[in-house]
Amino acid sequence: MQFTREQVLERLKNRVAAGLPIIGAGAGAGISAKSAEAGGIDLIIIYNSGRFRMAGRGSVAGMLPYGDANQIVVEMGAEVLPVVKETPVLAGVCGTDPFRDMPRFLKQIKEQGFSGVQNYPTVAYFEGAARQDMEDTGFSYDLEVEMIGLAREMDLFTAPYVYNEEEATKMAKAGADMLVAHMGLTAKGSIGAKNAQPLDACVAKIEAIRDAARAVNPEALVICHGGPISEPADLAYILSRVSGLDGFFGASSIERLATERAIRDLVIDFKQVSKPLA
């Protein structure tokens, strides 16, 4: 089911008003989306990393040249959208794609049935010389900001990733509805980050992003994602220390970790079944 921007906002703000965190989930396959909806998820986001994640590869593969990110999302949408009945589905759009007419592509995304967008893959993931080279050669974060602004004009709900205050300010000025404070590659599991920052280090970073966004738009929703925030207890820890934080988006933390554990544990249970003695 497709939702307008206002309908998505109303759903999310009602949850916040009730004192409950917004919970979004990444889905790399139709069964993941269907299961997340059965659990009462508030938002579903699909982007190219979901395909790699469910193929047993690390989510960071989505940042590398292993496929056409925007085309992969269109293909994933054909799988996910028909099985999601009552939940807004957002598309991860690569705003720096040099082979897409972005207004036309966003129109395609909307016509396909997506209710909103997120900026993914994002150059914000990169730092140092690699990031500077991207910025200098026409693959700038500002193109992602422009994409979010275009999506807002088209009545699509917008939930961009931001890694710092500067990016939060830019996205808030572009009219982003909900900012996702990104804490890095999700830890834990067989293909998660091995050197995620401590939970305590996330508190100040999220607070800085929250403050930057709300200095521009006091009504902006702000949620967190990634890094060491991979379990419900981790989220509870962050929510208890960051006032005004509206929720959490889990991709690997909801889809990958659940799959790894459930299949492993079920196989162990099957392996423990004994044959009756003759």
Side-chain angles (χ1 to χ4, degrees):
M1 179 179 177
Q2 189 172 37
F3 294 78
T4 66
R5 172 179 168 270
E6 287 299 329
Q7 287 172 329
V8 178
L9 274 171
E10 181 180 6
R11 285 166 61 103
L12 300 185
K13 288 187 174 181
N14 284 344
R15 187 164 175 83
V16 172
L20 300 169
I22 297 164
I23 306 295
I31 191 64
S32 301
K34 194 170 185 177
S35 299
E37 183 170 62
I41 205 72
D42 298 308
L43 286 172
I44 292 171
I45 303 95
I46 61 177
Y47 47 63
N48 69 330
S49 276
R51 172 169 289 182
F52 296 117
R53 182 166 56 240
M54 297 308 286
R57 274 68 177 182
S59 295
V60 73
M63 299 289 184
L64 298 168
Y66 303 143
D68 181 339
N70 284 329
Q71 183 57 36
I72 288 172
V73 165
V74 170
E75 294 167 2
M76 292 171 68
E79 176 180 346
V80 170
L81 289 166
V83 301
V84 176
K85 306 302 183 183
E86 299 176 353
T87 309
V89 180
L90 277 56
V93 174
C94 181
T96 56
D97 188 340
F99 301 107
R100 289 292 191 284
D101 178 302
M102 197 50 61
R104 185 172 298 176
F105 183 65
L106 289 175
K107 181 180 179 183
Q108 176 186 349
I109 287 293
K110 185 174 183 179
E111 289 175 348
Q112 189 176 357
F114 286 99
S115 300
V117 299
Q118 185 173 62
N119 58 325
Y120 193 91
T122 172
V123 301
Y125 175 78
F126 298 91
E127 297 178 348
R131 172 69 176 273
Q132 193 59 55
D133 287 346
M134 292 176 182
E135 295 284 342
D136 290 346
T137 55
F139 303 98
S140 70
Y141 188 77
D142 286 346
L143 288 176
E144 299 177 26
V145 175
E146 182 179 330
M147 181 274 290
I148 291 296
L150 286 170
R152 167 68 186 269
E153 292 173 7
M154 297 173 64
D155 197 38
L156 286 161
F157 180 79
T158 53
Y161 277 141
V162 296
Y163 285 71
N164 54 48
E165 305 98 301
E166 180 183 359
E167 292 165 1
T169 298
K170 287 183 176 182
M171 285 298 188
K173 287 181 177 179
D177 298 303
M178 182 172 76
L179 284 76
V180 185
H182 203 307
M183 296 295 107
L185 188 66
T186 300
K188 298 185 181 177
S190 64
I191 52 176
K194 307 304 180 189
N195 296 296
Q197 61 189 311
L199 271 175
D200 282 336
C202 295
V203 172
K205 291 184 179 181
I206 295 169
E207 288 177 333
I209 287 170
R210 174 205 62 196
D211 292 346
R214 291 189 177 145
V216 176
N217 176 12
E219 300 299 316
L221 296 168
V222 179
I223 66 174
C224 61
H225 167 76
I229 315 169
S230 57
E231 307 278 359
D234 300 328
L235 175 60
Y237 182 93
I238 294 295
L239 287 172
S240 70
R241 287 160 175 78
V242 182
S243 64
L245 184 63
D246 297 311
F248 171 72
F249 165 50
S252 293
S253 53
I254 289 180
E255 179 178 50
R256 174 176 62 79
L257 292 180
T259 301
E260 289 184 25
R261 293 167 182 171
I263 294 176
R264 178 199 63 205
D265 292 349
L266 189 58
V267 169
I268 290 171
D269 289 343
F270 271 112
K271 292 278 287 183
Q272 291 175 342
V273 174
S274 300
K275 291 177 63 177
L277 296 175

